[in-house]
Amino acid sequence: MAQAQPVDSAPLLSTLVQSGAALVAIVGGLLAARLVALVSERVALERRVRELAQLDQKRDGDLAAARKAVLDDDGADFVEAIFDSYVENLTRDFEDLFSEHGNESLTRGEMRPYFDGFVLQVAELEDELNVANLIDEGRPDDWDELRGELLLKVKGQFRQRIAEGILVGVERDWRSRRPRAPLGFEGMDMSLLAKINDPLRATRYAIESNYRRDLERNVMSAEAAKAASELEVTQARQALSLLSKPEGLGPALLVLAGIAIGGIVLPLMQLTFGSSGLSTLNRAMYVGAFILSLVVFFFYLWFEMRRVVKVPKGVLDGNSAST
């Protein structure tokens, strides 16, 4: 019986190479499109993370400013509370005044800078008004006119209040040096009467209360905005981290490599370095390798379609919970 002669398989091998190249082009195109989409998404996420980080930093500053405004208001209230006590007796120290006028919402460390600033303003105004000379020289005959001129030189409503308190203290020092009046009556301190008969006291209290509520609302709004920005930054960074580990790229590369080796490299090497005459078994092996490449290719397509179409369980649970 005659032995079967090898058949020229060059057309078959060429067809396998061309078909394998077509499959590689399809898989490579899908992979390239996926990579382009991933790069675009990563660039967008990186930009989003930077924008959210800047927004979070801005809201952090807004929150700090809102809290500082509340603290400044507390400091102003503390200075207002100790104002008369300190101006009447400049020797009183911070601990003494805080124990008398402080409350549970204030701390010594927070209020100390405001007290120091108040003391500095008093000392500056004492020098500006030349208090030492006024006390030494005694009350001049034209004191009422001179007093008004001194107060006009002081700029700022709060500084004028301090100056008035200092001058009241100077007048008190002068009265202490004069002989006592009959029956011990030395006259009334009109500043006390002004405090008692203040018609705008209730109005100022209402305005200050509304201002305080506005400050506290600003703090709450800033805290909520800060918490929201921190959550957005965290979510964006988590999404960027997940994008750094994309699913499906590894299998796609394996499929691409398998098709390229089985459908292109091996037939092409046979055409280049081997004999074009192949036995039936060898032809079957090359055709089988190509068919296996087709099977792997369609399995990869099925896997990608299943991954894309399938909805994650957590998403369904979230939708059902929200409804």
Side-chain angles (χ1 to χ4, degrees), residues 73-221:
D73 187 62
D74 290 335
D77 290 342
F78 175 69
V79 171
E80 183 69 28
I82 68 172
F83 186 94
D84 294 329
S85 299
Y86 181 74
V87 172
E88 290 175 2
N89 184 3
L90 299 181
T91 62
R92 299 190 65 178
D93 60 7
F94 171 75
E95 292 297 332
D96 182 23
L97 292 170
F98 186 86
S99 299
E100 181 179 345
H101 298 284
N103 56 59
E104 295 180 355
S105 63
L106 306 178
T107 64
R108 284 176 166 79
E110 291 175 338
M111 293 299 104
R112 186 59 187 255
Y114 297 96
F115 172 78
D116 293 341
F118 175 52
V119 171
L120 181 61
Q121 290 188 71
V122 173
E124 290 175 348
L125 283 172
E126 282 187 321
D127 294 337
E128 186 177 336
L129 297 172
N130 204 3
V131 171
N133 288 339
L134 287 176
I135 294 177
D136 292 340
E137 294 175 359
R139 180 187 178 97
D141 295 335
D142 59 344
W143 170 242
D144 292 337
E145 181 180 353
L146 178 60
R147 187 178 189 275
E149 293 177 356
L150 291 174
L151 291 176
L152 285 176
K153 295 179 181 179
V154 179
K155 304 300 181 182
Q157 184 177 2
F158 184 70
R159 285 170 54 85
Q160 286 185 350
R161 283 189 59 200
I162 297 176
E164 289 176 356
I166 292 174
L167 295 180
V168 168
V170 172
E171 293 171 348
R172 187 183 303 110
D173 187 87
W174 288 338
R175 287 196 300 271
S176 66
R177 300 181 182 183
R178 294 187 310 186
R180 295 177 64 85
L183 302 179
F185 180 76
E186 299 183 11
M188 179 180 292
D189 189 346
M190 298 306 294
S191 64
L192 298 177
L193 183 62
K195 294 176 187 176
I196 297 174
N197 298 325
D198 186 358
L200 299 178
R201 192 181 191 90
T203 303
R204 281 204 304 269
Y205 178 78
I207 293 175
E208 291 173 357
S209 298
N210 291 334
Y211 177 69
R212 178 69 182 193
R213 284 195 293 270
D214 290 341
L215 291 179
E216 292 175 349
R217 280 196 293 266
N218 290 340
V219 171
M220 290 188 291
S221 299

Side-chain angles (χ1 to χ4, degrees), residues 36-47:
V36 170
L38 287 175
V39 170
S40 300
E41 189 176 355
R42 183 179 180 84
V43 171
L45 275 176
E46 288 176 346
R47 182 171 61 250

